[in-house]
Amino acid sequence: MTTATSPAADPAGPAPDGARSPYQSPYQSYVYAYPHKTAYRRLPERPALRTLWSGEKTDALSLYLHVPFCEVRCGFCNLFTRVGAPDGLTGAYLDALERQAGPVREALGGGARFAAAAFGGGTPTFLTAAELERLCDIAEERMGADLRAVPLSVETSPSTATADRLAVLAERGTTRLSIGVQSFVDAEARAAVRPQRRSDVEAALARIRDSGIPVLNIDLIYGIEGQTAATWRRSLDAALAWEPEELYLYPLYVRPLTGLGRTSPGPDPAWDEQRLALYRHGRDHLLAHGYEQVSMRMFRRAGAPDAASADHACQTDGMVGLGCGARSYTSALHYSFDYAVDMRRIRAIVDDYVSRPAASFAHAEVGRWMDDDEARRRHLLQSLLQAEGMEVAGYAARFGAPPAEHFPAELAAFAGRGWLDEDAAPGRLRLSAEGLAHSDAVGPALFSPAVRAAMAAYDLR
């Protein structure tokens, strides 16, 4: 899932001076990366990747391969993905990935090392088993990632988690498989425009467990039309029956240009309260069943392996993305390709990507330059939105001062709302339980004025 609101909406969250607008939803934006792609713009200078990566720390990179295909588009989804693929398109897409890998790997230099890898989308398992083999070959042989030696996370869906695909992923070193279930209640799945039957979901989960992939993550959504506390608990218990190592609980968002977005009524305080109540119910239910809260959304079973890399830190280490929806991060520039939600625009971007010659991948075309202020904001929000919070000394060592000197108004506003944990260990900045519940307002409150303006000016397409 990506950003939660229309780019034209104000994602500011709590105002720096503590003032409130007439109504501010606790569900403003899911901040999984900062800045969001709607703040990216065309780069007229088209900087060379070789220049961008020169001098960068490349010994603990993350590698992300994007597969922009799904068998169906759910009503809530605004991911960069297209439905289906004409004959030959998936093969042509893999050809383009391989062409892109050449100049990207060259730009990184000989000492680059990947500490983590992920295949996302879309749905990577939309590819056939043979195509998944080729995807792994591109990561290993073209990019130099040792998939069997580092954490590898892959996304799947109930209908594409077939035994032959799972066997490929298990053999190639996949350590974590994430499956989007959203609801075990068939009527709720239909309300979310997600055509699936619980029996098919259960069969897919059985195949995943049989594959031996060590970490299973199940995604669930709360706030679906017709959902009650009882049906939400039914989905939670159905998921718990599989003893997943991880569970993600997502609030439903109704986003522009999605299936559900066409009927969106606008701000709805009653729905916000319902989602908060369901979140708290889900959180407490998982905690009571031996899960630990990692973030607002993520819960890990006590004693389960941590599927994250031990030596990659998203706040400080770079990311290399291959594919037309993938981002790459250097300390100076975040870059990608063009972004869209509308299906016609997405198809055009995919078609452009698969027709590109290798030389065109040696430059960054769309992105956002990162100055010191943006780097501070990114470090703080990506740390603060984790349940463990942040060691203030580490932040100060990187940026020369503690966060209270850089963000006094924002942190004071959080404290005033009870969103900071006053009982945190000395030297640690951490959200309270209520702050975690309001993570989707905390994150946007740390967006810079320039990023907010760019998101607001984005031409939704």
Side-chain angles (χ1 to χ4, degrees), residues 361-381:
F361 295 118
H363 299 265
E365 298 183 2
V366 178
R368 187 166 190 89
W369 293 102
M370 299 289 289
D371 60 18
D372 289 344
D373 177 63
E374 298 293 12
R376 290 192 293 265
R377 291 175 184 277
R378 180 173 182 262
H379 188 113
L380 178 59
L381 69 85

Side-chain angles (χ1 to χ4, degrees), residues 150-173:
V150 302
L152 171 61
S153 178
V154 182
E155 297 172 7
T156 191
S157 67
S159 63
T160 62
T162 58
D164 58 340
R165 292 175 169 104
L166 294 172
V168 168
L169 294 176
E171 195 278 328
R172 298 302 291 259

Side-chain angles (χ1 to χ4, degrees), residues 270-318:
W271 186 37
D272 288 346
E273 285 302 314
Q274 180 204 26
R275 284 183 287 178
L276 276 172
L278 291 172
Y279 159 77
R280 291 175 175 130
H281 180 81
R283 174 198 63 195
D284 294 347
H285 195 59
L286 295 186
L287 294 177
H289 280 76
Y291 282 74
E292 301 167 337
Q293 186 165 18
V294 179
S295 68
M296 172 187 170
R297 287 164 171 76
M298 182 182 176
F299 295 80
R300 181 183 298 119
R301 198 180 73 216
D306 184 351
S309 171
D311 59 350
H312 172 82
C314 63
Q315 298 94 331
T316 56
D317 293 318

Side-chain angles (χ1 to χ4, degrees), residues 54-135:
S54 176
E56 291 286 309
K57 179 176 176 288
T58 60
D59 62 337
L61 297 170
S62 176
L63 177 65
Y64 178 77
L65 272 61
H66 178 250
V67 179
F69 304 106
C70 286
E71 70 274 17
V72 67
R73 192 173 203 185
C74 305
F76 52 82
C77 178
N78 74 340
L79 292 176
F80 186 92
T81 187
R82 61 166 292 162
V83 176
D87 287 346
L89 182 57
T90 53
Y93 186 81
L94 291 170
D95 290 343
L97 276 179
E98 194 156 5
R99 289 196 302 275
Q100 184 185 6
V104 170
R105 179 64 178 170
E106 183 180 354
L108 294 175
R113 169 186 168 269
F114 292 102
F119 302 158
T123 307
T125 49
F126 181 90
L127 300 176
T128 66
E131 289 171 332
L132 285 172
E133 288 274 18
R134 188 177 174 199
L135 187 71

Side-chain angles (χ1 to χ4, degrees), residues 35-284:
H36 185 255
K37 279 188 180 179
T38 53
Y40 289 12
R41 292 296 183 269
R42 288 280 173 187
L43 301 168
E45 64 272 45
R46 296 183 72 247
L49 300 191
R50 183 189 295 272
T51 302
L52 290 173
W53 285 99
S54 176
E56 291 286 309
K57 179 176 176 288
T58 60
D59 62 337
L61 297 170
S62 176
L63 177 65
Y64 178 77
L65 272 61
H66 178 250
V67 179
F69 304 106
C70 286
E71 70 274 17
V72 67
R73 192 173 203 185
C74 305
F76 52 82
C77 178
N78 74 340
L79 292 176
F80 186 92
T81 187
R82 61 166 292 162
V83 176
D87 287 346
L89 182 57
T90 53
Y93 186 81
L94 291 170
D95 290 343
L97 276 179
E98 194 156 5
R99 289 196 302 275
Q100 184 185 6
V104 170
R105 179 64 178 170
E106 183 180 354
L108 294 175
R113 169 186 168 269
F114 292 102
F119 302 158
T123 307
T125 49
F126 181 90
L127 300 176
T128 66
E131 289 171 332
L132 285 172
E133 288 274 18
R134 188 177 174 199
L135 187 71
C136 293
D137 286 344
I138 292 170
E140 291 192 327
E141 298 171 9
R142 300 290 288 164
M143 291 303 299
D146 187 350
L147 298 183
R148 293 178 179 84
V150 302
L152 171 61
S153 178
V154 182
E155 297 172 7
T156 191
S157 67
S159 63
T160 62
T162 58
D164 58 340
R165 292 175 169 104
L166 294 172
V168 168
L169 294 176
E171 195 278 328
R172 298 302 291 259
T174 302
T175 52
R176 176 182 183 270
L177 198 74
S178 179
I179 183 169
V181 173
Q182 319 316 352
S183 177
F184 283 86
V185 179
D186 288 352
E188 291 178 2
R190 289 194 297 272
V193 195
R194 184 177 179 85
Q196 68 184 26
R197 296 179 300 176
R198 176 171 175 174
S199 58
D200 295 330
V201 171
E202 300 277 3
L205 289 167
R207 291 192 296 271
I208 293 170
R209 280 312 198 194
D210 288 344
S211 74
I213 294 172
V215 174
L216 165 64
N217 173 71
I218 298 176
D219 288 346
L220 297 176
I221 287 181
Y222 54 91
I224 300 171
E225 183 178 0
Q227 190 177 54
T228 65
T231 62
W232 176 227
R233 184 161 183 159
R234 193 184 312 165
S235 278
L236 291 166
D237 287 338
L240 287 171
W242 291 96
E243 299 183 345
E245 286 70 27
E246 295 177 4
L247 274 161
Y248 268 71
L249 308 185
Y250 288 97
L252 179 66
Y253 277 104
V254 176
R255 302 175 173 100
L257 301 185
T258 63
L260 295 178
R262 288 190 285 270
T263 59
S264 174
D268 188 342
W271 186 37
D272 288 346
E273 285 302 314
Q274 180 204 26
R275 284 183 287 178
L276 276 172
L278 291 172
Y279 159 77
R280 291 175 175 130
H281 180 81
R283 174 198 63 195
D284 294 347

